[in-house]
Amino acid sequence: AIGLVVRAYPVTLLEKDTELYLVKHRDMVTPYMLSLANPILAAFVLVSIVAAAVSTANSIVLSVASSITRDLYERKRKSPNPAIAKTITAVSIIIMSAATTGIALAKPAFIVELSVLSSALLLPVAPVTLVGLYARPGRRGVVPAIAAIVVGTSIMLIAAIVYGASNALVTTWLGMPLPLWCLVISTLI
């Protein structure tokens, strides 16, 4: 009931043309609604949204760059060179920042659809993680684990490119949704 009230309230404020425009341009809903608010409140809300987004993106990029440096360089060397580690981290940050900037400029889909797609892209990690928790220690399963992640992620990435971000999640092959295919194939590898 709360959702219906929250949905109905803005509609009562909008003219029919504006509502149709916002339905077609979902990324403009928040800026439009902020334009209706008191300017000081709107500025506070907008700055809060941007700060949260930047903080989250920053944390993700730094965590991944640190993982790349630690897992792919420092753990492989008996005495890793700190200068090389810093360089690897900086290059990782630059590459990820450039990639995310390219994706943002390309605007392949709405942010909500991309968020859901990112969850589907991470599905292959689930079986690898579960097997890693219960398998005996050792390095025998590294190649199958990497193969499972690469194959599963590739399935969803290709589907997103071919069908679009939102359709990749609902398209079926042989009666099974693509994310389920991704999970099953990653598990079997």
Side-chain angles (χ1 to χ4, degrees):
I2 294 173
L4 290 175
V5 171
V6 172
R7 167 73 174 103
Y9 174 70
V11 170
T12 60
L13 299 175
L14 304 176
E15 296 176 12
K16 192 67 172 169
D17 293 339
T18 307
E19 182 182 3
L20 292 175
Y21 174 80
L22 292 176
V23 167
K24 290 181 182 175
H25 301 92
R26 291 179 275 181
D27 286 344
M28 294 302 300
V29 171
T30 301
Y32 179 78
M33 295 309 287
L34 288 175
S35 74
L36 300 176
N38 177 299
I40 295 172
L41 176 64
F44 180 75
V45 171
L46 181 61
V47 168
S48 299
I49 291 170
V50 171
V54 169
S55 173
T56 301
N58 184 41
S59 297
I60 292 169
V61 168
L62 291 176
S63 294
V64 172
S66 176
S67 294
I68 288 170
T69 302
R70 293 217 183 263
D71 294 342
L72 299 181
Y73 174 67
E74 291 177 351
R75 287 189 184 179
K76 304 290 183 196
R77 305 272 187 237
K78 288 184 181 179
S79 57
N81 183 336
I84 293 174
K86 286 181 184 178
T87 302
I88 291 170
T89 303
V91 169
S92 300
I93 290 169
I94 291 167
I95 290 171
M96 285 184 287
S97 297
T100 54
T101 300
I103 292 169
L105 292 173
K107 297 181 184 178
F110 291 109
I111 192 71
V112 172
E113 294 164 352
L114 292 174
S115 296
V116 175
L117 179 63
S118 70
S119 298
L121 288 168
L122 290 173
L123 278 174
V125 177
V128 171
T129 303
L130 291 174
V131 168
L133 288 173
Y134 297 106
R136 290 187 196 140
R139 305 288 295 168
R140 293 179 302 204
V142 172
V143 172
I146 292 171
I149 292 171
V150 168
V151 170
T153 303
S154 297
I155 290 170
M156 287 310 303
L157 195 56
I158 291 168
I161 292 167
V162 172
Y163 301 114
S166 58
N167 290 333
L169 302 170
V170 295
T171 301
T172 60
W173 288 347
L174 302 173
M176 236 168 59
L178 289 177
L180 187 55
W181 276 108
C182 172
L183 187 60
V184 168
I185 291 170
S186 298
T187 303
L188 294 175
I189 291 176

